[in-house]
Amino acid sequence: IIIRMQKGGHLVKKVIEVKNLYKLYRVGDSIVRALNGVDFDIYEGEFCAIVGTSGSGKSTLLNMLAGLEKPTKGEVIIAGRHIEKLNEDGLVSFRRDHVGFIFQSFHLISTMNAVENVALPLSFRGVPKKERLKKADKMLDLVNLKKQKKHMPNQMSGGQQQRVGVARALVVDPEIIFADEPTGNLDSHTSEEVMALMQNVVRKQKKTLVMVTHDNHLATYADRVFHIIDGKIVKIEDNRNKNVNNLVQNEKESEKIKAEIAGKQSGEDNR
Ligand code: ADP
Ligand code: MG
């Protein structure tokens, strides 16, 4: 079954299906269970945040979803394809055709201006130059960078650079966007701005966005929040259709989780 009924009565497609996912690493004589049995589904148009402290398994999970690493066990099904079964060539074309990435450190090319950076993923798809630049130009309008189109990365603020990053992720019109700590290098005010922009753009473009973050507050921008502790999803919070009652409930639950996390963190670095 790849669809479900929503409250309004319309059908929504399942885009990501994770089943019984494990990733074990051997470190010296011991085994690290980076992912320890993860199951969830993500539907078309959802903005999902995966939240957990440093070392909880967020990046490992995102790498499995994007096919950057092979799981030890379990299944990752994206748009009907078994990602864990693809070979290297299959993974390269899967990522090129279906996925956009937003990185913590922006990963812009320093010798290219904003439009050229945004246009770059289109060149890997063989789109002619004129069309590439036209599309990139439109994307920069969408992320409110009308005046910075010709700016080089070092002529932009961190927030502006990450907005270029968002535009670049969206320019190929991917089904899914993955973001690993996208505001990790930004101050808190700029982080809020970039989150609001991502939320807005993803809604407008009806994209599926999966973001990982250690920041509980930034996760509130998401439709659903998956809490990960020691490689396990311990809770999934639904922020849609929130009423007063479940606001109170979520408050209580988030206090509980905070306490749990605080317990886990003692003795660990607090990045
Ligand atoms: P997060 O992104 O939530 O900070 P990670 O997914 O990077 O956490 O790491 C989860 C756990 O797996 C950590 O204990 C980390 O040390 C371990 N880990 C991650 N990658 C490797 C690796 N390549 N080799 C060994 N251990 C790893
Ligand atoms: Mg990480």
Side-chain angles (χ1 to χ4, degrees):
I1 308 156
I2 56 151
I3 49 177
R4 78 168 174 189
M5 187 91 77
Q6 272 210 327
K7 278 206 173 106
H10 53 287
L11 298 172
V12 189
K13 211 165 74 186
K14 200 185 269 184
V15 278
I16 301 177
E17 204 173 340
V18 173
K19 288 187 192 170
N20 201 30
L21 197 67
Y22 287 81
K23 181 67 177 180
L24 276 54
Y25 291 109
R26 176 184 291 280
V27 181
D29 287 339
S30 58
I31 300 285
V32 177
R33 291 174 170 264
L35 293 178
N36 199 13
V38 171
D39 291 271
F40 59 77
D41 297 324
I42 292 177
Y43 294 85
E44 192 166 50
E46 278 193 311
F47 175 4
C48 292
I50 298 164
V51 188
T53 54
S54 168
S56 55
K58 306 181 296 292
S59 296
T60 305
L61 179 53
L62 208 65
N63 289 347
M64 302 290 134
L65 294 180
L68 296 169
E69 277 185 274
K70 287 264 183 257
T72 306
K73 188 179 138 186
E75 298 166 61
V76 178
I77 305 155
I78 297 187
R81 278 175 226 78
H82 273 270
I83 301 307
E84 82 281 1
K85 288 181 186 158
L86 292 179
N87 62 18
E88 212 39 59
D89 285 349
L91 286 171
V92 168
S93 53
F94 159 75
R95 284 193 292 266
R96 186 192 57 212
D97 298 338
H98 303 279
V99 178
F101 290 94
I102 302 170
F103 304 94
Q104 174 171 355
S105 46
F106 321 136
H107 285 209
L108 301 181
I109 308 286
S110 62
T111 53
M112 291 182 168
N113 67 29
V115 189
E116 290 163 347
N117 265 287
V118 174
L120 191 60
L122 293 170
S123 67
F124 300 134
R125 292 184 158 195
V127 178
K129 188 167 182 187
K130 202 174 158 196
E131 196 184 327
R132 290 204 296 268
L133 294 176
K134 199 174 148 200
K135 277 195 178 159
D137 195 85
K138 269 195 192 152
M139 293 313 302
L140 285 169
D141 289 341
L142 190 74
V143 298
N144 306 321
L145 286 177
K146 284 193 171 69
K147 288 182 189 156
Q148 286 81 14
K149 286 174 184 169
K150 294 282 159 66
H151 286 219
M152 306 302 275
N154 68 2
Q155 296 169 328
M156 287 183 279
S157 68
Q160 289 169 341
Q161 289 182 61
Q162 192 57 304
R163 282 192 267 159
V164 175
V166 172
R168 181 187 52 191
L170 286 163
V171 77
V172 295
D173 200 21
E175 286 160 76
I176 305 161
I177 297 153
F178 293 121
D180 193 348
E181 303 273 4
T183 62
N185 283 346
L186 304 175
D187 63 67
S188 61
H189 175 73
T190 310
S191 294
E192 299 258 354
E193 280 180 0
V194 169
M195 288 308 304
L197 172 94
M198 280 173 41
Q199 184 189 52
N200 190 4
V201 166
V202 160
R203 270 191 197 146
K204 261 194 213 156
Q205 308 264 307
K206 297 191 170 57
K207 294 294 172 200
T208 306
L209 170 63
V210 182
M211 171 185 84
V212 312
T213 176
H214 67 278
D215 189 326
N216 263 303
H217 170 67
L218 292 180
T220 60
Y221 283 90
D223 299 320
R224 287 198 296 154
V225 182
F226 299 47
H227 294 270
I228 184 168
I229 298 178
D230 286 347
K232 277 194 167 133
I233 304 290
V234 294
K235 193 182 111 166
I236 299 178
E237 249 178 299
D238 201 327
N239 289 334
R240 298 162 300 186
N241 315 312
K242 260 195 175 167
N243 62 32
V244 178
N245 285 337
N246 64 27
L247 265 178
V248 172
Q249 189 59 28
N250 282 339
E251 194 90 69
K252 279 184 194 156
E253 278 168 357
S254 79
E255 285 309 316
K256 217 172 76 188
I257 281 180
K258 266 186 219 156
E260 227 170 294
I261 287 168
K264 297 267 175 209
Q265 262 184 341
S266 54
E268 196 184 296
D269 75 329
N270 221 338
R271 270 182 305 153

